[in-house]
Amino acid sequence: MTDLAELDRRELEETLADLGAPRFHGRQIYRWIYKRGVTDPSAMTDLSQKLRATLAEHTTVSTPTVARKQVSEDGTTKFLLKLADGQLIESVYIPDTPAQTFCISTQVGCAMKCAFCLTGTMGLIRNLTAGEIAGQVRVLAHETGLADKIFNIVLMGMGEPLHNYDPVMKAIRMLADKDGLDLHPRRVTLSTVGVVPGMMKLAEEELMPSLAISLHATTEEQRDRLVPINRKYDIKELIDACRKMPMRRRGKIMFEYVMLAGENDSIDDAKRLVKLLRGLKAKVNLLPLNEAPGIPFKRPSDDAVNAFAKVLVAGDVRVTVRKSRGRDIRAACGQLATDK
Ligand code: SAH
C-alpha cells in the first residue's frame, strides 16, 4: 500500500505512472484529497472506474482523526488528533486575529526542554511525517470550513520544526500546491528555538516560510538556563544567523520573547533586547507566560509587560503583545501536551 498522504505532487505522479495510469490524474487526486477532503477513491467521481479500483487496491490516504475537540470561550478550538500508530498530537484553530490561523505540530513531544514550556516536559516521542504535518492542516481546514478560504499557519504547536527539517519542508511544499490547499509559503510562519544549522539550510530554500525566533533572553547565562539549546547555539551565533537570512522586501524576522516575572522582564532586559536587535529587520512579539502546573515561573503583571514594551518602542523596535487565546482549554502557547 502506498500512502498518498505522504507524497508531493511529483511523487504522486510517479506513483500513478508505476500503477500504469497517466500522470495528469495527479492533479485531480490532489484536488480531491486537499481541496475537497475526500480520501476514499470510490468517491473520486471524475476518475475512471478502473483507476478508482486500482487506487483502492494499492493505495491509502492516512489522515489524522479527531479524538477530541474543545472550543474555548474566545472561539479558539483545540483538536486532539490521533495518528495512524495511535500517538496523539494537538493542533489549534485560532479565529479572527484578524486572519484565520492554524497552529500546527511538527513532532510528538519536543526534545528542547525550554524551562517554561509544557510540551518540553513530555520529551521527544517521535517526529511527524510530512503527511502527518500536512494532514493536520487538511483536517483543520475541513473541520472549520476554510479549505477554500485564505488562512495562515504557524508551526508553533508541539515540537521544534527545524529538528524535523525535511518532513517540515516537504509538508510546506505539499500545502503550497495550487491544486491542493494553495497555501502560499509566505502564509506559513516557522517558529524555531534557534537551531542554527537548520536556519542556514532554510536560507537556501526556494520556498521560504516566514521566520519566528524564540529568543526569550538577552544574556548567554540567562538563555542557557531558559532555552537549553543555547549551550550549543548561543545568542551571538543565533543573531549572526538571523543577519544572514535572506529577507523579503518588507519582510521582518519575528522574535518571540516569553515574559517571566522577575526573570527576564526588567527594564534592563528590555534595553539589552533593543541593543541585540539593532540593525536587524525585526519585530518583537511579547508572550506573557501562560502558566501551567509544573512550570516554575509566573506571568508578569500587565504593567510590567507595558513598561517593557515601551522601552522597545522608544528604541525603535516594533512590538506586539500576544494575546493569549484559548487559555481556558489549555490551547495557548506552551500549553500543548497530550499526556495530562
Ligand atoms: N519549538 C518552536 C515552536 C514552538 S512555538 C519554538 O520554540 O519556537 C511556541 C512558542 O510559545 C515559542 O516561542 C515558545 O517558546 C512559547 N512558549 C512556550 N511555553 C510558553 C508558555 N508557557 N507561555 C507562553 N509562551 C510559551
Side-chain angles (χ1 to χ4, degrees):
M1 284 282 192
T2 305
D3 188 354
L4 303 185
E6 297 295 343
L7 307 184
D8 63 26
R9 182 66 172 273
R10 191 180 45 77
E11 292 168 332
L12 174 61
E13 290 174 356
E14 276 163 20
T15 299
L16 287 171
D18 290 344
L19 293 170
R23 290 168 184 265
F24 67 82
H25 289 306
R27 183 171 178 189
Q28 290 161 297
I29 297 172
Y30 239 73
R31 277 200 193 141
W32 282 113
I33 297 176
Y34 286 87
K35 270 209 158 68
R36 302 186 185 125
V38 168
T39 56
D40 174 4
S42 69
M44 300 182 181
T45 47
D46 57 0
L47 304 178
S48 68
Q49 290 288 359
K50 181 161 165 257
L51 180 54
R52 286 188 240 172
T54 307
L55 291 176
E57 192 181 346
H58 298 286
T59 70
T60 170
V61 185
S62 301
T63 302
T65 55
V66 178
R68 192 176 64 203
K69 188 169 146 178
Q70 287 167 281
V71 184
S72 152
E73 291 159 1
D74 64 22
T76 300
T77 308
K78 181 164 84 166
F79 293 86
L80 180 68
L81 299 180
K82 193 174 193 171
L83 306 173
D85 65 351
Q87 290 290 347
L88 297 168
I89 51 170
E90 290 179 321
S91 322
V92 183
Y93 165 49
I94 311 152
D96 312 319
T97 53
Q100 315 298 323
T101 305
F102 300 144
C103 178
I104 297 298
S105 295
T106 57
Q107 300 179 310
V108 185
C110 184
M112 298 298 140
K113 302 216 175 301
C114 297
F116 43 81
C117 179
L118 199 60
T119 307
T121 63
M122 296 173 69
L124 177 62
I125 297 170
R126 71 166 172 85
N127 282 325
L128 295 184
T129 64
E132 289 168 335
I133 297 167
Q136 293 166 68
V137 181
R138 275 194 284 129
V139 170
L140 267 62
H142 292 284
E143 284 278 333
T144 57
L146 290 171
D148 278 331
K149 306 261 162 43
I150 291 192
F151 55 82
N152 297 330
I153 77 169
V154 294
L155 299 177
M156 298 188 182
M158 298 165 71
E160 165 50 44
L162 294 184
H163 194 211
N164 187 20
Y165 191 91
D166 291 332
V168 166
M169 292 312 294
K170 184 174 179 182
I172 291 175
R173 254 192 339 269
M174 286 155 59
L175 293 166
D177 196 293
K178 294 263 181 296
D179 293 304
L181 288 170
D182 194 15
L183 177 68
H184 195 285
R186 191 175 7 96
R187 296 199 165 276
V188 178
T189 300
L190 185 153
S191 178
T192 178
V193 75
V195 182
V196 171
M199 289 169 63
M200 297 296 51
K201 241 167 111 181
L202 199 60
E204 308 286 317
E205 293 279 352
E206 216 170 296
L207 291 187
M208 254 272 270
S210 302
L211 192 62
I213 305 285
S214 290
L215 188 59
H216 306 323
T218 53
T219 70
E220 304 291 0
E221 177 276 325
Q222 189 184 41
R223 196 165 192 269
D224 279 352
R225 271 186 293 118
L226 298 177
V227 183
I229 198 161
N230 197 65
R231 296 171 205 157
K232 205 158 169 189
Y233 310 113
D234 64 16
I235 296 182
K236 184 174 175 312
E237 207 180 331
L238 177 58
I239 297 291
D240 280 347
C242 290
R243 289 189 201 284
K244 293 191 187 125
M245 295 307 287
M247 299 295 293
R248 294 190 191 96
R249 208 148 45 88
R250 264 178 308 207
K252 286 194 164 44
I253 298 182
M254 187 210 283
F255 288 87
E256 294 160 281
Y257 192 95
V258 68
M259 294 191 68
L260 311 169
E263 175 64 43
N264 66 354
D265 63 342
S266 72
I267 296 301
D268 282 344
D269 286 298
K271 286 182 179 159
R272 275 195 299 271
L273 186 54
V274 170
K275 248 195 199 151
L276 204 54
L277 300 182
R278 196 158 288 160
L280 273 169
K281 288 173 81 179
K283 56 183 176 186
V284 169
N285 194 212
L286 298 175
L287 289 68
L289 179 77
N290 294 309
E291 295 180 6
I295 298 300
F297 297 101
K298 290 265 168 262
R299 181 185 182 92
S301 67
D302 290 352
D303 284 349
V305 175
N306 288 337
F308 193 98
K310 275 203 182 122
V311 176
L312 298 186
V313 172
D316 244 355
V317 178
R318 259 187 51 186
V319 58
T320 49
V321 179
R322 189 172 300 178
K323 246 176 78 187
S324 282
R325 302 285 302 255
R327 259 196 296 165
D328 53 330
I329 55 168
R330 228 167 56 191
C333 303
Q335 297 191 304
L336 304 181
T338 51
D339 60 346
K340 307 260 162 60

